[in-house]
Amino acid sequence: MKRTTLISSFFVSIGLCFTLLTVAQTPLYKDKNAPVEKRISDLLKRMTLEEKILQLNQYTFGINNNPNNIGPEVKKLPNGIGSLIYFSADPVLRNQIQKKAMEESRLCIPILFGFDIIHGLRTVYPISIAQACSWNPDLVTQLCAVAAKESVLSGVDWTFSPMIDVARDPRWGRVSEGYGEDPYTNAVFGVASVKGYQGKNLSDSYSIAACLKHYVGYGMSEGGRDYRYSDVSAQSLWETYLPPYEACVKAGAATLMSGFNDISGVPATANYYTLTEILKKRWKHDGFVVSDWNAVKQLVWQGVAKDEKESGLKAFMAGVEMDMKDDIYRVHFPALVAEKKIPMKNIDDAVARVLRVKFRLGLFDEPYTKVVEEKERYLKPEDVALAQKLTEETMVLLKNKNNTLPLSANISKIALIGPMAKDQENIVGSWSFNVKTADAETLYDGIQKEFKNATINYALGCDFDGTNEAGFAEALDKANESEVIILCLGEKKTWSGENASRSTIALPAIQEKLMQELKKTGKPIILVLSNGRPLELVRLEPLADAIVEIWQPGIAGGTPLAGILSGRVNPSAKLAITFPLTTGQIPTYYNMRQCARPYGTEGNYQDISTEPLYWFGHGLSYTSFTYGDAKLSATKITKSQKMTVEVTVANSGSVKGKETVLWYISDPACSISRPMKELKYFEKKEINAGEKAVYKFEIDPMRDLSFTNATGKRFVEAGDFYVHVNNQKIKFEIVE
Ligand code: GLC
């Protein structure tokens, strides 16, 4: 053999040995080409009990951390902590912390950084209840993808969103965070959010893990007060509160968060039936559940654990894998395992679930965030434009007497009055920790841009609350100088969201008084409302010529509102939650169960009207839509057959518009009392003036007509049914 060949084969063999050695030394769990399940089991075998327990803990980082003591703060973090709630939104700091885990811990398990990105990080778009009023889940998916990208670039891998708690008591501050009173609406928008956050694949560069919350029944918190008990019957658990979670788990949501409430006496955070029987055994969820903030410790206060050690045991054995904030798992699990109260197989299953999400996110292979300039991370023009597009479709035209709106293009003097007119602080809504106030466009700015030839006579009028009427005089002067009054009232962002329950949903008296005084000028009043919940408008509605509900639109509310006022935008939103006439009428929602005397005034309050002010599904347009007769493809089908119902909608007005057709069913005679009607499908289309569109709903009996019994078993019963669309109610029959 030639010398050169000898030498080259020598080096080849050295290279080969080195490669084999490296492969032999690189543990399987670090091999990004290995299947996730093999990586998990390989890593589990290598972990000590202490390392496993640390993966089941989540601490906070970044609260009140001034830059000077970040170093000591980072040093304090235990090596190998499973997750952090990351308040800093700083990729460099995140990477510093992650470096500690990847280089100083024995097995280099990456930390999972979570945070509440509820309706955008810096490109903050409308609050969730407003999103539902758009009936445009595709736009919500697109904006959740924007939120996910901004999160990744801020060092966040996991958002504690979407909240899909069906809520029917607007005194509860968190109605702002969910998608309203209907299970199907919460399911559709929850799935849309999961798709936006998680993308096609969790390991895609800008995907983040979603977290369904607050599992389950939190929206039933008694009296609309937070952290209270929830009497949830087994029937309503299955009929109302679980369906959004089932839909989102099937859509692949990586995690869930257990709620603060109890479920008829058994806290959601210690409820084996919901956390394990349903979620893990029936729905086969293979991600993990994190408790809500200190919810494990709170089991002591809820009276189901004698001390923190027992609360940890109960939460974990019920099916909560990760302990948020209160450090109970880390402190007490070594003893609980030693005392054989927690079997090692439960620990291993829980850790496997946490690792599975981390592997699927790609954190083991790319633990660090790409660091780009701050101006590259946020508020991209195309993202802000997308936020505006959704915002336009969330604003509900509730009233428009004598076509007060849209305003004439020749209008020359507009009085713009009220605490929301120039507000940038509250218009972004709750859960918008990272927004910069200066990013928010005011209603004033939007209106001034839209009505370039008009004089905008601005006056604050009054504050959100208090009794100071000193601003009234100036407001009245401005009103008297003008042709129309745009009165912008509403809520502070802290009046909704967590721990923001209110005993009344009326606006503070000062705001009502301002409107009453302005009404005396005789000028038409367009009432613009920015709030996080349905409001009591029984005294304001008669004073308004038009009412536009803009909710809390985020940073891009001014231009969309101005577009609606000028007619550049034809409003298409419809309410996803009922507006009661008064607080006393709560709870009132469209899908109330059939009852003994459902008609007339019997069984209702005798001192006020039976009807709410605005029903679920209410929303006006600048055009008119005429519905043809709905047509069924059959009037009788078996349980296993499908049928379609279609309706032709004509735009009989003079401007194009988007119309959402809401399809409901009802089951007047069943073995249980069912809701008066139930939303089962919806479709939104744009129709040009003078044109028509056909809307079709395919009825699948098992999906659309069935009901569950108290064990969650689904049934379709033969008998008469109705399909409801617009004001039509068409009968059909299911036969055996
Ligand atoms: C809060 C909220 C929950 C939030 C969590 C983390 O208490 O109930 O919605 O995701 O803590 O901030």
Side-chain angles (χ1 to χ4, degrees):
M1 183 188 282
K2 276 189 182 163
R3 191 175 150 79
T4 43
T5 318
L6 202 61
I7 291 169
S8 59
S9 58
F10 169 74
F11 279 111
V12 164
S13 50
I14 292 290
L16 204 59
C17 296
F18 181 74
T19 311
L20 288 172
L21 204 63
T22 316
V23 167
Q25 270 168 356
T26 309
L28 176 66
Y29 77 92
K30 288 190 177 180
D31 173 2
K32 65 180 173 188
N33 300 315
V36 165
E37 295 310 311
K38 288 200 182 310
R39 298 178 79 178
I40 290 169
S41 50
D42 176 60
L43 179 50
L44 269 179
K45 280 189 212 110
R46 301 166 186 270
M47 295 172 79
T48 64
L49 174 60
E50 188 202 4
E51 287 164 335
K52 290 177 181 176
I53 291 170
L54 267 178
Q55 285 301 309
L56 306 180
N57 282 265
Q58 178 184 61
Y59 294 170
T60 58
F61 193 86
I63 299 185
N64 313 323
N65 280 326
N66 66 51
N68 309 321
N69 67 7
I70 288 296
E73 290 288 318
V74 173
K75 279 200 176 56
K76 265 190 319 196
L77 286 174
N79 274 348
I81 185 73
S83 173
L84 290 174
I85 302 183
Y86 186 54
F87 281 81
S88 301
D90 171 350
V92 174
L93 176 59
R94 171 248 166 77
N95 288 343
Q96 277 176 340
I97 300 167
Q98 192 70 297
K99 191 164 180 283
K100 176 181 161 68
M102 299 309 288
E103 296 180 6
E104 293 172 28
S105 72
R106 189 174 71 86
L107 294 168
C108 314
I109 300 173
I111 295 167
L112 180 64
F113 290 79
F115 196 58
D116 293 286
I117 317 288
I118 310 300
H119 52 110
L121 190 137
R122 278 290 296 279
T123 304
V124 170
Y125 44 89
I127 57 175
S128 304
I129 187 63
Q131 296 171 30
C133 295
S134 75
W135 301 96
N136 193 331
D138 292 345
L139 264 183
V140 168
T141 297
Q142 292 174 55
L143 275 157
C144 286
V146 170
K149 183 174 178 187
E150 292 192 348
S151 301
V152 168
L153 293 174
S154 304
V156 173
D157 317 299
W158 175 32
T159 178
F160 306 131
S161 169
M163 186 184 119
I164 48 176
D165 298 320
V166 173
R168 293 157 169 179
D169 187 332
R171 291 172 297 181
W172 190 47
R174 306 199 79 164
V175 291
S176 58
E177 299 176 50
Y179 303 102
E181 68 195 40
D182 173 69
Y184 180 70
T185 316
N186 273 275
V188 170
F189 282 91
V191 168
S193 301
V194 169
K195 285 180 182 163
Y197 293 136
Q198 301 194 167
K200 291 198 174 14
N201 195 313
L202 259 188
S203 60
D204 292 347
S205 1
Y206 291 122
S207 294
I208 57 176
C211 183
L212 310 176
K213 68 183 189 182
H214 305 77
Y215 189 63
V216 61
Y218 187 28
M220 262 294 270
S221 207
E222 189 176 72
R225 288 172 294 194
D226 240 335
Y227 318 118
R228 275 296 193 286
Y229 24 85
S230 315
D231 256 332
V232 184
S233 71
Q235 189 62 41
S236 55
L237 180 67
W238 281 103
E239 185 176 271
T240 305
Y241 299 101
L242 284 172
Y245 286 91
E246 184 173 12
C248 291
V249 164
K250 288 199 170 125
T255 69
L256 291 88
M257 181 185 293
S258 64
F260 290 129
N261 61 299
D262 72 331
I263 301 170
S264 301
V266 180
T269 298
N271 200 303
Y272 182 85
Y273 179 61
T274 52
L275 290 162
T276 294
E277 182 58 47
I278 296 174
L279 179 62
K280 297 177 176 63
K281 292 185 177 175
R282 287 202 205 185
W283 296 348
K284 311 286 183 223
H285 186 247
D286 66 0
F288 69 87
V289 175
V290 63
S291 70
D292 202 340
W293 188 290
N294 285 347
V296 175
K297 181 197 292 237
Q298 286 165 192
L299 295 177
V300 175
W301 301 332
Q302 283 175 289
V304 297
K306 67 179 187 303
D307 54 28
E308 290 188 0
K309 182 176 177 184
E310 189 176 33
S311 68
L313 174 63
K314 288 212 167 184
F316 184 72
M317 294 309 284
V320 174
E321 282 79 26
M322 186 179 279
D323 173 15
M324 180 187 286
K325 185 73 180 59
D326 52 32
D327 208 22
I328 286 175
Y329 285 17
R330 188 184 63 82
V331 169
H332 295 289
F333 276 22
L336 286 166
V337 170
E339 293 156 17
K340 305 224 178 303
K341 287 181 182 164
I342 294 184
M344 231 11 245
K345 70 177 174 54
N346 292 60
I347 294 282
D348 285 346
D349 175 64
V351 175
R353 289 171 177 272
V354 173
L355 296 178
R356 186 170 294 124
V357 173
K358 293 185 177 183
F359 276 118
R360 285 177 177 167
L361 274 166
L363 282 182
F364 278 84
D365 311 316
E366 291 186 36
Y368 301 110
T369 287
K370 183 173 69 171
V371 180
V372 297
E373 285 295 305
E374 181 160 348
K375 67 180 183 334
E376 287 307 307
R377 284 181 228 151
Y378 309 122
L379 299 167
K380 310 289 274 184
E382 62 274 19
D383 296 340
V384 176
L386 195 61
Q388 272 183 351
K389 196 159 166 256
L390 174 64
T391 307
E392 287 174 356
E393 298 200 24
T394 62
M395 296 181 168
V396 193
L397 181 59
L398 294 176
K399 179 178 182 181
N400 193 19
K401 193 170 79 176
N402 307 326
N403 295 320
T404 303
L405 287 175
L407 294 173
S408 148
N410 309 321
I411 194 157
S412 61
K413 292 194 178 112
I414 298 173
L416 183 56
I417 295 168
M420 280 312 300
K422 286 195 173 183
D423 176 273
Q424 290 181 291
E425 180 67 32
N426 301 291
I427 200 162
V428 296
S430 57
W431 297 103
S432 48
F433 286 100
N434 294 299
V435 75
K436 301 269 185 275
T437 307
D439 294 341
E441 180 192 36
T442 64
L443 304 182
Y444 177 90
D445 288 346
I447 291 167
Q448 194 172 52
K449 264 189 319 194
E450 190 82 18
F451 296 90
K452 290 184 179 54
N453 305 324
T455 303
I456 309 293
N457 297 320
Y458 165 74
L460 175 67
C462 69
D463 199 347
F464 287 92
D465 53 5
T467 55
N468 181 357
E469 299 182 12
F472 280 25
E474 183 197 12
L476 290 166
D477 288 346
K478 301 290 185 185
N480 284 318
E481 289 163 23
S482 307
E483 298 161 69
V484 70
I485 300 166
I486 299 175
L487 178 57
C488 305
L489 303 178
E491 292 187 308
K492 288 185 176 177
K493 67 179 180 183
T494 53
W495 294 358
S496 54
E498 184 180 355
N499 194 23
S501 303
R502 295 175 74 80
S503 66
T504 173
I505 58 173
L507 287 174
I510 190 80
Q511 294 191 45
E512 293 201 2
K513 187 132 191 250
L514 174 62
M515 186 166 188
Q516 284 151 10
E517 290 308 306
L518 289 169
K519 186 63 184 172
K520 293 174 185 168
T521 66
K523 306 282 183 175
I525 298 179
I526 296 156
L527 178 58
V528 173
L529 293 168
S530 177
N531 40 288
R533 56 160 55 81
L535 296 175
E536 175 179 304
L537 301 174
V538 63
R539 292 170 299 283
L540 298 185
E541 191 277 337
L543 308 180
D545 296 276
I547 302 176
V548 185
E549 173 57 72
I550 69 168
W551 301 108
Q552 286 156 338
I555 61 162
T559 299
L561 169 66
I564 286 174
L565 297 175
S566 72
R568 172 173 55 80
V569 173
N570 184 357
S572 63
K574 296 186 174 188
L575 290 178
I577 191 165
T578 298
F579 274 50
L581 188 68
T582 69
T583 303
Q585 217 180 43
I586 292 170
T588 186
Y589 46 96
Y590 92 87
N591 37 1
M592 284 183 274
R593 194 167 289 148
Q594 297 174 87
C595 63
R597 297 189 185 179
Y599 305 104
T601 61
E602 287 191 297
N604 283 291
Y605 300 108
Q606 298 307 310
D607 58 333
I608 56 169
S609 153
T610 299
E611 291 291 296
L613 183 59
Y614 302 118
W615 277 114
F616 173 95
H618 173 73
L620 304 177
S621 169
Y622 291 149
T623 190
S624 47
F625 293 107
T626 310
Y627 282 60
D629 292 341
K631 294 189 180 62
L632 300 179
S633 62
T635 52
K636 191 181 287 188
I637 55 169
T638 65
K639 295 177 182 179
S640 55
Q641 287 174 316
K642 292 180 183 175
M643 61 185 270
T644 57
V645 54
E646 62 179 59
V647 69
T648 300
V649 178
N651 179 342
S652 42
S654 56
V655 291
K656 74 177 174 181
K658 297 183 180 102
E659 175 63 349
T660 300
V661 169
L662 301 169
W663 293 99
Y664 304 84
I665 63 103
S666 61
D667 180 355
C670 177
S671 49
I672 59 165
S673 294
R674 294 189 60 178
M676 302 288 279
K677 60 182 185 179
E678 301 171 66
L679 181 70
K680 291 295 178 183
Y681 184 64
F682 64 83
E683 201 178 4
K684 184 172 191 176
K685 293 183 177 183
E686 183 163 64
I687 312 175
N688 290 324
E691 294 184 3
K692 298 179 179 180
V694 177
Y695 293 73
K696 196 178 281 190
F697 167 32
E698 181 184 67
I699 294 176
D700 171 345
M702 184 46 89
R703 182 191 63 200
D704 302 316
L705 306 178
S706 65
F707 66 96
T708 61
N709 66 8
T711 68
K713 189 170 179 332
R714 204 157 264 289
F715 296 88
V716 176
E717 283 185 349
D720 291 343
F721 285 83
Y722 289 93
V723 58
H724 305 244
V725 61
N726 203 22
N727 302 320
Q728 302 177 55
K729 180 178 171 184
I730 309 107
K731 188 172 174 176
F732 64 96
E733 190 185 352
I734 298 288
V735 295
E736 290 297 347

